[in-house]
Amino acid sequence: MDAVGRDELRPRGRAAVLLAMGRSTEEIGPAVGVSGRTVRRWRARPEFHADVVRVRRRLLDGATAALTGRGVR
């Protein structure tokens, strides 16, 4: 398992992590085993957007903690 738990997530969850990390829709589809079109449909859903925002926040919290020497809450 990697640092953000991508190995244990379903394709939509892995797509949210990859999108939060800045990967393109066309890169994400094959990486999680779906088409780019499927990823674009997911991106249009409010709950998927909320997942991406949540992942970005966790990534930012982790990076901030690493840079300041503090643990993540």
Side-chain angles (χ1 to χ4, degrees):
M1 181 175 70
D2 64 21
V4 290
R6 284 181 287 191
D7 295 339
E8 295 180 3
L9 297 174
R10 293 181 181 197
R12 199 172 102 177
R14 289 195 319 267
V17 171
L18 293 171
L19 189 61
M21 294 173 67
R23 301 277 296 272
S24 74
T25 299
E26 296 308 318
E27 288 178 285
I28 293 169
V32 301
V34 300
S35 69
R37 182 177 180 194
T38 296
V39 176
R40 285 190 298 277
R41 282 197 314 265
W42 289 342
R43 288 184 72 174
R45 301 181 74 171
E47 64 272 16
F48 183 77
H49 177 73
D51 290 343
V52 173
V53 169
R54 203 171 10 261
V55 171
R56 283 184 180 145
R57 194 169 295 133
R58 288 186 67 193
L59 290 170
L60 182 57
D61 286 348
T64 301
L67 290 172
T68 62
R70 294 182 291 166
V72 178
R73 306 180 251 162

mmCIF file of all heavy atoms in Angstrom, residues 23-47:
data_model
loop_
_atom_site.group_PDB
_atom_site.id
_atom_site.type_symbol
_atom_site.label_atom_id
_atom_site.label_comp_id
_atom_site.label_asym_id
_atom_site.label_seq_id
_atom_site.Cartn_x
_atom_site.Cartn_y
_atom_site.Cartn_z
ATOM 1 N N ARG A 23 -3.058 14.454 -11.846
ATOM 2 C CA ARG A 23 -3.039 13.655 -13.068
ATOM 3 C C ARG A 23 -4.207 14.037 -13.965
ATOM 4 O O ARG A 23 -5.254 14.475 -13.493
ATOM 5 C CB ARG A 23 -3.131 12.169 -12.726
ATOM 6 C CG ARG A 23 -2.018 11.633 -11.843
ATOM 7 C CD ARG A 23 -0.751 11.268 -12.591
ATOM 8 N NE ARG A 23 -0.930 10.186 -13.519
ATOM 9 C CZ ARG A 23 -0.800 8.897 -13.217
ATOM 10 N NH1 ARG A 23 -0.508 8.516 -12.000
ATOM 11 N NH2 ARG A 23 -0.966 7.985 -14.150
ATOM 12 N N SER A 24 -4.044 13.851 -15.261
ATOM 13 C CA SER A 24 -5.104 14.199 -16.206
ATOM 14 C C SER A 24 -6.156 13.102 -16.286
ATOM 15 O O SER A 24 -5.892 11.938 -15.952
ATOM 16 C CB SER A 24 -4.516 14.413 -17.603
ATOM 17 O OG SER A 24 -4.163 13.175 -18.191
ATOM 18 N N THR A 25 -7.336 13.483 -16.738
ATOM 19 C CA THR A 25 -8.432 12.535 -16.901
ATOM 20 C C THR A 25 -8.020 11.378 -17.805
ATOM 21 O O THR A 25 -8.310 10.220 -17.511
ATOM 22 C CB THR A 25 -9.659 13.258 -17.491
ATOM 23 O OG1 THR A 25 -10.053 14.279 -16.579
ATOM 24 C CG2 THR A 25 -10.820 12.322 -17.718
ATOM 25 N N GLU A 26 -7.334 11.673 -18.886
ATOM 26 C CA GLU A 26 -6.939 10.634 -19.831
ATOM 27 C C GLU A 26 -5.880 9.708 -19.245
ATOM 28 O O GLU A 26 -5.815 8.538 -19.620
ATOM 29 C CB GLU A 26 -6.453 11.257 -21.142
ATOM 30 C CG GLU A 26 -7.542 12.032 -21.876
ATOM 31 C CD GLU A 26 -8.828 11.226 -22.095
ATOM 32 O OE1 GLU A 26 -8.755 10.026 -22.446
ATOM 33 O OE2 GLU A 26 -9.910 11.791 -21.913
ATOM 34 N N GLU A 27 -5.055 10.179 -18.332
ATOM 35 C CA GLU A 27 -4.089 9.315 -17.649
ATOM 36 C C GLU A 27 -4.783 8.441 -16.606
ATOM 37 O O GLU A 27 -4.402 7.295 -16.403
ATOM 38 C CB GLU A 27 -3.043 10.151 -16.899
ATOM 39 C CG GLU A 27 -2.043 10.874 -17.750
ATOM 40 C CD GLU A 27 -1.117 11.687 -16.874
ATOM 41 O OE1 GLU A 27 -1.541 12.741 -16.370
ATOM 42 O OE2 GLU A 27 0.034 11.239 -16.686
ATOM 43 N N ILE A 28 -5.766 9.011 -15.936
ATOM 44 C CA ILE A 28 -6.412 8.338 -14.818
ATOM 45 C C ILE A 28 -7.211 7.120 -15.264
ATOM 46 O O ILE A 28 -7.146 6.066 -14.622
ATOM 47 C CB ILE A 28 -7.316 9.319 -14.052
ATOM 48 C CG1 ILE A 28 -6.458 10.391 -13.375
ATOM 49 C CG2 ILE A 28 -8.181 8.598 -13.031
ATOM 50 C CD1 ILE A 28 -7.250 11.560 -12.815
ATOM 51 N N GLY A 29 -7.964 7.246 -16.354
ATOM 52 C CA GLY A 29 -8.804 6.137 -16.809
ATOM 53 C C GLY A 29 -8.048 4.822 -16.907
ATOM 54 O O GLY A 29 -8.385 3.852 -16.202
ATOM 55 N N PRO A 30 -7.018 4.755 -17.738
ATOM 56 C CA PRO A 30 -6.278 3.495 -17.855
ATOM 57 C C PRO A 30 -5.605 3.070 -16.543
ATOM 58 O O PRO A 30 -5.506 1.878 -16.254
ATOM 59 C CB PRO A 30 -5.219 3.793 -18.920
ATOM 60 C CG PRO A 30 -5.767 4.930 -19.700
ATOM 61 C CD PRO A 30 -6.580 5.739 -18.722
ATOM 62 N N ALA A 31 -5.198 4.030 -15.737
ATOM 63 C CA ALA A 31 -4.520 3.704 -14.477
ATOM 64 C C ALA A 31 -5.451 2.995 -13.491
ATOM 65 O O ALA A 31 -4.986 2.222 -12.657
ATOM 66 C CB ALA A 31 -3.946 4.966 -13.844
ATOM 67 N N VAL A 32 -6.756 3.273 -13.582
ATOM 68 C CA VAL A 32 -7.708 2.645 -12.654
ATOM 69 C C VAL A 32 -8.592 1.607 -13.339
ATOM 70 O O VAL A 32 -9.467 1.035 -12.703
ATOM 71 C CB VAL A 32 -8.570 3.699 -11.910
ATOM 72 C CG1 VAL A 32 -7.699 4.654 -11.129
ATOM 73 C CG2 VAL A 32 -9.509 4.434 -12.846
ATOM 74 N N GLY A 33 -8.384 1.385 -14.641
ATOM 75 C CA GLY A 33 -9.108 0.336 -15.350
ATOM 76 C C GLY A 33 -10.450 0.736 -15.928
ATOM 77 O O GLY A 33 -11.319 -0.112 -16.123
ATOM 78 N N VAL A 34 -10.626 2.037 -16.210
ATOM 79 C CA VAL A 34 -11.861 2.506 -16.843
ATOM 80 C C VAL A 34 -11.483 3.431 -17.994
ATOM 81 O O VAL A 34 -10.324 3.778 -18.164
ATOM 82 C CB VAL A 34 -12.788 3.245 -15.841
ATOM 83 C CG1 VAL A 34 -13.180 2.325 -14.694
ATOM 84 C CG2 VAL A 34 -12.140 4.512 -15.320
ATOM 85 N N SER A 35 -12.476 3.874 -18.750
ATOM 86 C CA SER A 35 -12.195 4.786 -19.857
ATOM 87 C C SER A 35 -12.076 6.226 -19.343
ATOM 88 O O SER A 35 -12.569 6.559 -18.259
ATOM 89 C CB SER A 35 -13.313 4.716 -20.898
ATOM 90 O OG SER A 35 -14.502 5.277 -20.364
ATOM 91 N N GLY A 36 -11.446 7.063 -20.147
ATOM 92 C CA GLY A 36 -11.400 8.486 -19.826
ATOM 93 C C GLY A 36 -12.801 9.074 -19.742
ATOM 94 O O GLY A 36 -13.065 9.964 -18.939
ATOM 95 N N ARG A 37 -13.696 8.548 -20.566
ATOM 96 C CA ARG A 37 -15.085 9.024 -20.550
ATOM 97 C C ARG A 37 -15.743 8.763 -19.187
ATOM 98 O O ARG A 37 -16.463 9.607 -18.655
ATOM 99 C CB ARG A 37 -15.869 8.343 -21.662
ATOM 100 C CG ARG A 37 -17.294 8.801 -21.748
ATOM 101 C CD ARG A 37 -18.000 8.153 -22.902
ATOM 102 N NE ARG A 37 -19.384 8.625 -22.931
ATOM 103 C CZ ARG A 37 -20.327 8.064 -23.627
ATOM 104 N NH1 ARG A 37 -20.074 7.028 -24.380
ATOM 105 N NH2 ARG A 37 -21.541 8.562 -23.602
ATOM 106 N N THR A 38 -15.481 7.596 -18.621
ATOM 107 C CA THR A 38 -16.019 7.278 -17.302
ATOM 108 C C THR A 38 -15.489 8.259 -16.261
ATOM 109 O O THR A 38 -16.242 8.758 -15.419
ATOM 110 C CB THR A 38 -15.674 5.830 -16.901
ATOM 111 O OG1 THR A 38 -16.317 4.941 -17.823
ATOM 112 C CG2 THR A 38 -16.110 5.510 -15.486
ATOM 113 N N VAL A 39 -14.202 8.559 -16.321
ATOM 114 C CA VAL A 39 -13.613 9.514 -15.369
ATOM 115 C C VAL A 39 -14.261 10.887 -15.546
ATOM 116 O O VAL A 39 -14.579 11.555 -14.561
ATOM 117 C CB VAL A 39 -12.081 9.597 -15.523
ATOM 118 C CG1 VAL A 39 -11.500 10.653 -14.593
ATOM 119 C CG2 VAL A 39 -11.432 8.243 -15.256
ATOM 120 N N ARG A 40 -14.503 11.290 -16.786
ATOM 121 C CA ARG A 40 -15.167 12.586 -17.021
ATOM 122 C C ARG A 40 -16.574 12.593 -16.427
ATOM 123 O O ARG A 40 -17.002 13.605 -15.862
ATOM 124 C CB ARG A 40 -15.201 12.910 -18.518
ATOM 125 C CG ARG A 40 -13.854 13.350 -19.058
ATOM 126 C CD ARG A 40 -13.949 13.904 -20.474
ATOM 127 N NE ARG A 40 -14.422 12.923 -21.441
ATOM 128 C CZ ARG A 40 -13.660 12.008 -22.032
ATOM 129 N NH1 ARG A 40 -12.373 11.937 -21.762
ATOM 130 N NH2 ARG A 40 -14.173 11.166 -22.898
ATOM 131 N N ARG A 41 -17.300 11.481 -16.541
ATOM 132 C CA ARG A 41 -18.634 11.398 -15.922
ATOM 133 C C ARG A 41 -18.535 11.501 -14.407
ATOM 134 O O ARG A 41 -19.341 12.188 -13.771
ATOM 135 C CB ARG A 41 -19.341 10.095 -16.325
ATOM 136 C CG ARG A 41 -19.934 10.137 -17.708
ATOM 137 C CD ARG A 41 -20.962 9.028 -17.925
ATOM 138 N NE ARG A 41 -20.540 7.727 -17.458
ATOM 139 C CZ ARG A 41 -19.956 6.789 -18.214
ATOM 140 N NH1 ARG A 41 -19.733 7.025 -19.494
ATOM 141 N NH2 ARG A 41 -19.612 5.624 -17.712
ATOM 142 N N TRP A 42 -17.560 10.797 -13.811
ATOM 143 C CA TRP A 42 -17.365 10.891 -12.365
ATOM 144 C C TRP A 42 -17.084 12.324 -11.950
ATOM 145 O O TRP A 42 -17.608 12.806 -10.948
ATOM 146 C CB TRP A 42 -16.213 10.004 -11.906
ATOM 147 C CG TRP A 42 -16.475 8.531 -11.966
ATOM 148 C CD1 TRP A 42 -17.681 7.903 -12.043
ATOM 149 C CD2 TRP A 42 -15.487 7.503 -11.957
ATOM 150 N NE1 TRP A 42 -17.499 6.540 -12.079
ATOM 151 C CE2 TRP A 42 -16.170 6.262 -12.024
ATOM 152 C CE3 TRP A 42 -14.093 7.501 -11.911
ATOM 153 C CZ2 TRP A 42 -15.482 5.046 -12.027
ATOM 154 C CZ3 TRP A 42 -13.421 6.292 -11.905
ATOM 155 C CH2 TRP A 42 -14.117 5.082 -11.961
ATOM 156 N N ARG A 43 -16.252 13.008 -12.739
ATOM 157 C CA ARG A 43 -15.882 14.394 -12.392
ATOM 158 C C ARG A 43 -17.083 15.326 -12.381
ATOM 159 O O ARG A 43 -17.067 16.342 -11.687
ATOM 160 C CB ARG A 43 -14.844 14.929 -13.386
ATOM 161 C CG ARG A 43 -13.481 14.292 -13.198
ATOM 162 C CD ARG A 43 -12.471 14.895 -14.116
ATOM 163 N NE ARG A 43 -12.160 16.248 -13.642
ATOM 164 C CZ ARG A 43 -11.223 17.005 -14.160
ATOM 165 N NH1 ARG A 43 -10.504 16.581 -15.177
ATOM 166 N NH2 ARG A 43 -10.993 18.201 -13.669
ATOM 167 N N ALA A 44 -18.118 14.995 -13.104
ATOM 168 C CA ALA A 44 -19.318 15.836 -13.157
ATOM 169 C C ALA A 44 -20.226 15.632 -11.942
ATOM 170 O O ALA A 44 -21.168 16.405 -11.746
ATOM 171 C CB ALA A 44 -20.098 15.547 -14.442
ATOM 172 N N ARG A 45 -19.934 14.634 -11.126
ATOM 173 C CA ARG A 45 -20.797 14.316 -9.973
ATOM 174 C C ARG A 45 -20.309 15.063 -8.731
ATOM 175 O O ARG A 45 -19.130 15.024 -8.391
ATOM 176 C CB ARG A 45 -20.789 12.822 -9.712
ATOM 177 C CG ARG A 45 -21.288 12.040 -10.929
ATOM 178 C CD ARG A 45 -21.311 10.601 -10.657
ATOM 179 N NE ARG A 45 -22.451 10.352 -9.760
ATOM 180 C CZ ARG A 45 -22.869 9.150 -9.446
ATOM 181 N NH1 ARG A 45 -22.255 8.083 -9.923
ATOM 182 N NH2 ARG A 45 -23.884 8.994 -8.645
ATOM 183 N N PRO A 46 -21.212 15.745 -8.030
ATOM 184 C CA PRO A 46 -20.825 16.512 -6.834
ATOM 185 C C PRO A 46 -20.131 15.670 -5.763
ATOM 186 O O PRO A 46 -19.192 16.132 -5.121
ATOM 187 C CB PRO A 46 -22.146 17.073 -6.307
ATOM 188 C CG PRO A 46 -23.076 17.046 -7.473
ATOM 189 C CD PRO A 46 -22.635 15.897 -8.339
ATOM 190 N N GLU A 47 -20.567 14.431 -5.584
ATOM 191 C CA GLU A 47 -19.947 13.604 -4.544
ATOM 192 C C GLU A 47 -18.508 13.228 -4.899
ATOM 193 O O GLU A 47 -17.654 13.112 -4.019
ATOM 194 C CB GLU A 47 -20.784 12.363 -4.228
ATOM 195 C CG GLU A 47 -20.949 11.381 -5.361
ATOM 196 C CD GLU A 47 -22.131 11.656 -6.286
ATOM 197 O OE1 GLU A 47 -22.701 12.767 -6.280
ATOM 198 O OE2 GLU A 47 -22.492 10.733 -7.031
#
